[in-house]
Amino acid sequence: MEIKKGIAVSPGVVISTAVVLDAEDLLIPKRKIDPQAVPAELERLGQAVATCVVDLTRLRDDVAAKHGKEIGDIFGFHLGLLRDKSLMNEITNEIKTETNSAEYAVSTVMRRHANKFAAMIEKSPYFSERVKDIHDIEKSLLRALIGSRRQDLAHLDQDVIVIAHDLLPSQTAAFDKTHVKGFATDVGGRTSHTAIVARAMGIPAVVGLGNITSEISGGDTVIIDGKRGVVIINPDEEQLAEYRRDARSMMNFENELATLASLPPETKDGHVVSVQANIEFPAEVDDAIDRGAQGIGLYRTEFLYLAQEREPTEDEHHAAYADALQRLKGKPLVIRTLDLGADKYTQAKALNPERNPFLGDRSIRMCLHDIPMFKRQLRAIMRASILGDVRIMFPMICTALELRQAKMVLNDVMDELEEEGVQFRREIPVGIMIEVPSAAIMADQFAKEVNFFSIGTNDLIQYTLAVDRTNEKVAGLYCPAHPAVLKLVRDVIRAAVRNSISCSVCGEMAGDPLYTLLLLGLGLTTFSMNGPDVPEVKKIIRSTTLDHAKQVARRVMSFDSERQVMHFLREETRKIIPEAF
Ligand code: PEP
Ligand code: MG
């Protein structure tokens, strides 16, 4: 038995069997397979080789047609290697006699050969090219082996816990939710989008575990404790019994909370607030409403772009918005325009990867650099505006000019639709996310030009404290309770109140029960969070008075360290729900 501590990102306890996804960086951990699994492993290898042969033949023919046979023949060496019987025998022997996984066998044998050629480079540069060729083939084979496993995670026939170096938000969103019971990764942070998607899907997860991929083998029994951030590998009977008890009591608590779904989020002294949900896909609306959400305060539309290789068409956008609105039956839907970039875009896929993508061409900046793309989305939103209570929200606004430009594009779109005789609602509410310090500091000015604010604390924290939200090495510094962050949140709420516009928080802080009393006491009227967080936050709101929340907020704002803030809030919240921490 081994216990590993990481960063808790999605609560819940699960016990299941591990499957390990290898990273494409070729650091393939040694992994044994069950002797009975040897034939299946050989079959996987055979399929991977066949896939590579087909791909390479096509590539060779394409290149030969475009650039001549000599250039095309470069791939002849690659194909020759894949057809080399003695090389393939070496790999299959590793699987048969050493019971190594196909990935590990490929990696070991190919590296052995690459090293042999590398030792001869001094004699001729020819060998250096051969080393590159071998690495290339190794990579293709691994991609074929690992790629097929990744796809499998969308269609499983048994329960698993996924162990990976890292997961993309889109990969996580594609998991077969009935069978992927939890996941654990080497890297990542609490508000990375992968973590957010896990919480939204209700999948327990722990990230930032360092080298969990090399410590767990496929088939190991694993416990994921997504609340304490603990992963237990091959637990003993005692641990298993304890965690089964914990899982049962968590379930009882959740059943108790579920009874709150139809009750209003109203304090004991009659102060009513709105509790809404964040979604990535329209289908999440149903679950959010079932849990008691009163609308969607944040629809992360970039997941439309992440779910496929190409940009969605205007009609695809429209269909998604119409779907969400139909499910909402008149409840509000805040559609956030494309917020791609940073961790929501694989830099590997980008034409020119950015050195610092969180500070780069992301979000509204990207839209203003590609007006036709931006317009396609805005047209779809405006066409959907007559189907329900739609509101538009621009993300990552840093300057007044950006906001004005975005509004100008929106006006152009409305004029175009009018000319075309297409119906839409011109008075659509337009809001912005406050998620960079410049916008928070200038909130009074921004409030005069928009209908609402939504505070994106996930980014606001990272940009205020200079801490990458996805980097496990600095996760200890990423803290919503930092007095600087709290002052910005307080001032933005105040600016909204002064200018009579509404203000919500839609970052993860809104769904963390630790901050409910504080946000309520600071005057927040709309909380938007992952669906599974709705019942607990509602319970806190319904168990306190506005006066008490205000006292808590006053006390918190007098502290000068995040430790004091968290300690005090933990004590206060525990008095209401002891199960929370
Ligand atoms: C935020 O930054 O707080 C937010 C809600 O947006 P996202 O998490 O999608 O960046
Ligand atoms: Mg954000």
Side-chain angles (χ1 to χ4, degrees), residues 407-559:
K407 282 171 74 173
M408 244 159 55
V409 180
L410 179 62
N411 272 330
D412 283 353
V413 162
M414 292 200 214
D415 291 346
E416 282 163 22
L417 288 173
E418 202 163 59
E419 261 173 42
E420 291 166 30
V422 178
Q423 281 200 322
F424 64 90
R425 185 175 155 229
R426 198 172 268 278
E427 308 68 43
I428 189 166
V430 175
I432 55 170
M433 292 201 63
I434 302 283
E435 49 185 349
V436 291
S438 65
I441 292 164
M442 301 298 285
D444 248 322
Q445 278 69 29
F446 280 113
K448 297 182 175 54
E449 302 192 28
V450 293
N451 302 107
F452 64 92
F453 284 159
S454 192
I455 308 177
T457 46
N458 303 339
D459 278 315
L460 188 61
I461 295 164
Q462 81 164 342
Y463 293 128
T464 304
L465 304 179
V467 184
D468 177 345
R469 64 194 263 192
T470 65
N471 185 342
E472 69 284 355
K473 293 198 186 86
V474 288
L477 295 171
Y478 184 96
C479 184
H482 192 294
V485 174
L486 298 183
K487 277 193 178 150
L488 289 178
V489 170
R490 178 197 62 190
D491 292 349
V492 173
I493 297 173
R494 280 184 180 168
V497 172
R498 257 197 309 276
N499 291 278
S500 309
I501 64 166
S502 62
C503 179
S504 77
V505 170
C506 65
E508 295 304 291
M509 193 178 178
D512 187 339
L514 187 67
Y515 299 104
T516 309
L517 286 173
L518 168 66
L519 292 172
L520 194 61
L522 288 176
L524 190 73
T525 50
T526 305
F527 296 67
S528 192
M529 63 201 70
N530 296 309
D533 298 333
V534 168
E536 208 168 356
V537 168
K538 224 183 197 187
K539 177 161 169 96
I540 297 176
I541 294 167
R542 290 182 57 80
S543 311
T544 189
T545 61
L546 184 60
D547 266 354
H548 175 64
K550 279 184 178 164
Q551 274 168 27
V552 168
R554 265 197 298 276
R555 191 76 200 281
V556 165
M557 297 314 291
S558 72
F559 295 141

Side-chain angles (χ1 to χ4, degrees), residues 274-313:
S274 178
V275 174
Q276 306 191 356
N278 300 344
I279 57 164
E280 285 74 37
F281 299 100
E284 289 174 76
V285 169
D286 302 343
D287 183 61
I289 301 294
D290 284 350
R291 291 178 192 265
Q294 298 166 299
I296 300 302
L298 168 65
Y299 175 9
R300 291 185 164 100
T301 59
E302 53 279 3
F303 278 78
L304 272 171
Y305 296 72
L306 292 166
Q308 55 191 11
E309 287 296 314
R310 56 171 181 80
E311 188 207 323
T313 62

